[in-house]
């Protein structure tokens, strides 16, 4: 188990304040997972806002497929299924939801 | 308990409409429990009502002890003192007679 | 004796917007009953929840600032705000109902990192 935090975001990036708060809260080696409407953030240039941070970014497969954006996901993103999401929650010391 | 009083209470015995509370009702509620209210109990009930008025919240044990301490000094500001005074959990039983909601977060 | 986990509650909402602040406050009060050490962080719009002189009765709502004042009676005194967030609304700590510690925005990440459990409502 790491001493790091898994940040869970479920809103689209138009919720700019939510993203700013989350970015302000990122510590080295933390993880961020995009779920629900936040999977759009995993597309194309959007993950750039996280590129200054030494973190790992994930996105939830089911939510990506449901929205039909599987071809647009940035290669910097690790796509995980529901089981792996649960494993991540156990792997990190704690999770913080940004809902 | 008379049916009229019973209609005013929720299933746990707390007054539904807090505005209906008066001393007569307080004594009737205690009597229905076969519980005799002394001046020592009235001090606690007063304190709880003041606490509720100030904080919009029925106190749990710790803040009730603190409020009693602030008002009546260390002798009465002790949980053991309150435990001896009531037969149920003091914050709960006193809140019932005080016509206030059940204290949340109360052990 | 089991070492208590350190719990952080993050408030993010302005007053009268939802039940989130009330719910978070209920968690804080419940933690007190179980002797769980808890810290409260009022992020962004949530600093407005701490603003003095609110008149909730005009909206026919309970006054949450009254209940926030009860935190002291529950031995909860670790409250934090970010200076930059106060400045955004031209607030100073004198405008707040609670005595809050100041936290620099750059320290937020390490601050959160030090807790064992974080509830972000």
């Amino acid at each position: 188990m790491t001493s790091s935090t898994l940040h869970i975001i479920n809103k689209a990036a138009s919720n700019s304040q939510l993203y700013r708060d989350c970015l302000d809260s990122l510590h080295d080696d933390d993880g961020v997972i995009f779920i629900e409407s936040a999977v759009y953030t995993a597309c194309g240039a959007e993950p750039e806002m996280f590129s200054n941070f030494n973190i790992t970014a994930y996105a939830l497969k089911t939510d990506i497929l449901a929205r039909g954006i599987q071809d647009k996901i940035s290669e910097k993103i690790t796509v995980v299924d529901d089981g792996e999401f649960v494993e991540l929650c156990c792997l990190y010391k704690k999770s913080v939801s940004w809902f | 308990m008379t049916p009229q009083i019973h209609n005013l209470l929720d299933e746990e015995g707390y007054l539904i409409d807090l505005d209906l509370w008066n001393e007569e009702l307080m004594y009737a509620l205690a009597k229905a429990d076969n519980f005799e209210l002394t001046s020592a109990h009235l001090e606690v009930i007063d304190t709880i009502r003041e606490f509720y008025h100030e904080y919009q919240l029925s106190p749990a044990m710790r803040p009730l002890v603190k409020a009693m301490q602030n008002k009546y000094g260390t002798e009465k500001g002790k949980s053991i003192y309150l435990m001896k005074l009531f037969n149920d959990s003091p914050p709960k039983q006193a809140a019932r007679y005080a016509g206030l909601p059940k204290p949340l977060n109360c052990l | 004796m089991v070492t208590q986990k350190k719990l952080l509650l993050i408030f993010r909402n302005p007053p009268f917007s939802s039940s989130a602040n009330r719910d978070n406050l209920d968690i804080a009060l419940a933690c007190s009953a179980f002797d769980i050490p808890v810290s409260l962080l009022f992020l962004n719009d949530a600093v407005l929840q701490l603003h003095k002189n609110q008149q909730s009765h005009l909206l026919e709502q309970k006054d949450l600032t009254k209940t926030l004042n009860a935190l002291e009676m529950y031995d909860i005194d670790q409250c934090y705000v970010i200076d930059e967030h106060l400045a955004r609304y031209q607030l100073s700590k004198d405008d707040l109902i609670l005595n809050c510690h100041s936290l620099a925005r750059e320290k937020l990440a390490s601050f959160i990192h030090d807790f064992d459990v974080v509830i972000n409502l």
Side-chain angles (χ1 to χ4, degrees):
Chain A
M1 196 166 92
T2 75
S3 66
S4 312
T5 303
L6 180 65
H7 299 263
I8 306 169
I9 311 188
N10 79 337
K11 297 280 194 302
S14 54
N15 286 269
S16 48
Q17 189 60 58
L18 183 82
Y19 277 75
R20 271 201 291 277
D21 289 340
C22 178
L23 290 170
D24 282 345
S25 304
L26 293 180
H27 192 271
D28 270 357
D29 299 324
D30 278 357
V32 176
I33 181 163
F34 304 107
I35 65 168
E36 299 167 31
S37 297
V39 292
Y40 293 114
T41 312
C43 296
E46 292 276 37
E48 290 300 318
M49 67 171 115
F50 290 87
S51 61
N52 290 334
F53 298 90
N54 179 27
I55 56 147
T56 313
Y58 311 88
L60 193 60
K61 192 175 184 177
T62 318
D63 288 329
I64 293 169
L65 293 176
R67 287 161 181 77
I69 55 170
Q70 56 272 26
D71 297 337
K72 299 194 168 62
I73 299 300
S74 159
E75 56 197 16
K76 291 172 184 157
I77 302 284
T78 307
V79 175
V80 297
D81 62 25
D82 291 1
E84 289 165 329
F85 182 18
V86 174
E87 282 173 29
L88 285 176
C89 290
C90 300
L91 181 70
Y92 285 87
K93 179 184 162 198
K94 63 175 179 288
S95 62
V96 177
S97 302
W98 298 94
F99 288 2
Chain B
M1 198 182 300
T2 63
Q4 291 97 317
I5 294 183
H6 194 261
N7 290 337
L8 304 177
L9 307 177
D10 67 15
E11 63 269 24
E12 290 182 285
Y14 292 87
L15 194 62
I16 294 166
D17 181 353
L18 310 189
D19 291 336
L20 294 180
W21 185 87
N22 56 37
E23 291 210 351
E24 195 186 342
L25 186 64
M26 171 184 77
Y27 283 110
L29 288 167
K31 197 177 170 207
D33 290 348
N34 283 320
F35 190 83
E36 195 192 340
L37 291 176
T38 66
S39 59
H41 298 107
L42 297 187
E43 286 177 351
V44 182
I45 291 169
D46 266 354
T47 305
I48 281 204
R49 287 186 61 84
E50 281 167 19
F51 188 100
Y52 186 85
H53 187 253
E54 185 167 356
Y55 302 116
Q56 305 273 293
L57 178 75
S58 297
M61 192 63 170
R62 184 203 303 254
L64 175 58
V65 167
K66 214 173 248 200
M68 285 294 291
Q69 198 174 58
N70 291 345
K71 206 169 162 201
Y72 298 106
T74 42
E75 228 16 71
K76 294 180 175 179
K78 288 195 175 110
S79 55
I80 186 78
Y81 170 79
L82 296 172
M83 306 283 263
K84 282 181 181 164
L85 219 45
F86 292 91
N87 47 21
D88 186 9
S89 142
K92 287 182 186 166
Q93 195 176 0
R96 270 201 304 115
Y97 301 151
L100 299 176
K102 181 181 175 178
L104 298 169
N105 324 317
C106 189
L107 298 180
Chain C
M1 179 83 189
V2 183
T3 314
Q4 285 286 8
K5 292 196 167 186
K6 280 177 69 184
L7 178 72
L8 175 67
L9 301 172
I10 304 181
F11 292 69
R12 283 186 296 143
N13 294 280
F16 314 119
S17 58
S18 75
S19 69
N21 288 351
R22 165 104 238 163
D23 296 342
N24 231 353
L25 184 53
D26 279 344
I27 296 171
L29 300 179
C31 286
S32 165
F34 290 95
D35 288 323
I36 298 171
V38 55
S39 301
L40 277 55
L41 170 62
F42 294 85
L43 212 57
N44 272 312
D45 291 353
V47 296
L48 300 166
Q49 178 67 73
L50 300 178
H51 197 278
K52 283 178 180 167
N53 303 324
Q54 293 180 39
Q55 299 193 69
S56 62
H57 64 92
L58 297 173
L59 304 175
E60 298 185 350
Q61 292 193 28
K62 270 198 175 185
D63 193 345
L64 201 61
T65 58
K66 281 192 169 181
T67 309
L68 282 160
N69 275 321
L71 284 168
E72 191 194 348
M73 298 293 279
Y74 285 74
D75 290 331
I76 299 170
D77 56 4
Q78 296 298 308
C79 298
Y80 297 84
V81 289
I82 304 224
D83 291 331
E84 204 172 301
H85 296 168
L86 287 177
R88 186 181 306 152
Y89 292 106
Q90 300 176 329
L91 296 175
S92 75
K93 287 212 253 174
D94 290 340
D95 295 309
L96 307 181
I97 55 159
L98 297 179
N99 276 325
C100 293
H101 302 280
S102 286
L103 195 63
R105 195 177 142 215
E106 309 81 67
K107 294 275 164 58
L108 180 60
S110 57
F111 178 76
I112 290 177
H113 184 77
D114 286 342
F115 285 88
D116 299 301
V117 179
V118 177
I119 296 174
N120 190 3
L121 287 183

